[in-house]
Amino acid sequence: MTNEFLPEWLARSITAPDANAQAEARAHQAQLTKPAGSLGRLEQLAITFAGYQGRSKPQLDNIVVRVFAADHGIAARGTSAYPQEVTAQMLANFCHGGAAISVLASQLNADFRAVNLGCVAPVAPHKNLIDYAIAPATADFSQAPAMTAEQLNKALDAGFSQAQTGDLFIGGEMGIGNTTSAAALLAALFQLAPEAITGKGTGIDDATLTRKTQLIATALGYHREHLTHPAAILQRLGGFEIAALVGAYIGSAQRGVPVLVDGFISTAAAAIAVALQPALAPWLLYAHLSNEAGHKLALDKLSATPLLTLDMRLGEGSGAALAAGVIRQALALHNQMATFTDAGVSHAD
């Protein structure tokens, strides 16, 4: 698979962040009543967001949160501690406000929706649910391509459709078996050994981890001759919700909206997205270091430094929602602290 078979929008340009606005924000930081650099990465966050928004004093008022959910054929091989019915059950939980991301999105006053891309169990309609079902699940990628080309494009389009105007986009995911898919994607993209990138996901035992790792190795061998393009890697090893994240990330950046990437699975989507559109990279911030075994390795491959380390491994966009609060505080400090001149405070030459 090459770009000619992919959605037209995928090749649209992404504009670089505004360097002049960043320079103005950096100069403003130097005048605030604190020793230079004393607020650490909070200072750089404000400068980075100035570049995103093209103004020296950026705001974080309008946050969009979308949780994409889908089932995986590989889960039938026993790679998870939970049955596949949980995906649809958690979709309902998202919509009714009972999940971690639902609570955190509410705290952020975010525009929150869950997106159904295909579950093996029925999913009831709800005002907070966007139904974009493609199929009940992907195929078992240890034996066949996870998606057809048509299904991949539908999943990419679903994500692109949720890339809204705003100050920040957070994409979450839910799908029993999706850490297996994410590990396979990263192994193929970065040519990693399965055992180096595969972890325990929702808390599987050692025997299940061994089976999960072996299934990924089998899949990499089965698809080897086709894993030559990031879109082909995504089609053969990915999930509908992971492909939707890819579409949402690229679409957001094309609209000039930065993305806060969550944990292991979201990072796998980010890696594929950057491989497809390298100009996306400056628009991605990485929220936290997951407790999933391969996440640090994936972040290292992307030269990414996460904002938080809280030993989380929930997914859903939960770590990103927490990090958004930190960003909001960083911008408040940048915008509201007095300058040395305003406060009449002497400062170093």
Side-chain angles (χ1 to χ4, degrees), residues 4-31:
E4 64 191 273
F5 299 105
L6 296 170
E8 168 275 329
W9 55 261
L10 200 65
R12 294 177 193 168
S13 62
I14 296 173
T15 302
D18 188 329
N20 290 332
Q22 289 179 333
E24 291 173 6
R26 188 174 291 107
H28 177 69
Q29 275 285 330
Q31 298 302 314

Side-chain angles (χ1 to χ4, degrees), residues 198-233:
T198 308
K200 292 193 172 184
T202 52
I204 57 177
D205 59 23
D206 289 342
T208 305
L209 176 60
T210 298
R211 179 166 60 251
K212 179 178 176 179
T213 305
Q214 289 173 343
L215 284 167
I216 292 171
T218 297
L220 294 175
Y222 178 83
H223 298 289
R224 180 174 291 113
E225 65 185 71
H226 302 284
L227 302 179
T228 56
H229 186 278
I233 292 171

Side-chain angles (χ1 to χ4, degrees), residues 318-340:
S318 54
L322 284 168
V326 174
I327 295 171
R328 188 171 271 172
Q329 296 286 14
L331 301 192
L333 289 165
H334 178 79
N335 295 334
Q336 298 174 29
M337 282 182 69
T339 65
F340 288 107

Side-chain angles (χ1 to χ4, degrees), residues 38-40 119 130 152 209 212 217 246 271 284 291 296 301 305 309:
S38 59
L39 287 175
C119 297
I130 298 169
L152 172 62
L209 176 60
K212 179 178 176 179
V246 171
L284 300 180
N291 204 30
K296 185 179 186 304
K301 290 292 183 180
T305 303
T309 302

Side-chain angles (χ1 to χ4, degrees), residues 164-182:
Q164 311 291 321
T165 56
D167 299 326
L168 182 68
F169 180 85
I170 293 173
E173 42 62 38
M174 174 65 208
I176 297 302
N178 63 6
T179 59
T180 309
S181 178

Side-chain angles (χ1 to χ4, degrees), residues 278-331:
L280 169 65
W283 292 89
L284 300 180
L285 295 169
Y286 294 83
H288 72 117
L289 175 61
S290 168
N291 204 30
E292 180 67 8
H295 194 210
K296 185 179 186 304
L297 177 56
L299 291 171
D300 288 346
K301 290 292 183 180
L302 290 164
S303 299
T305 303
L307 296 175
L308 305 173
T309 302
L310 297 171
D311 292 334
M312 296 176 68
R313 53 179 177 83
L314 176 60
E316 303 178 4
S318 54
L322 284 168
V326 174
I327 295 171
R328 188 171 271 172
Q329 296 286 14
L331 301 192

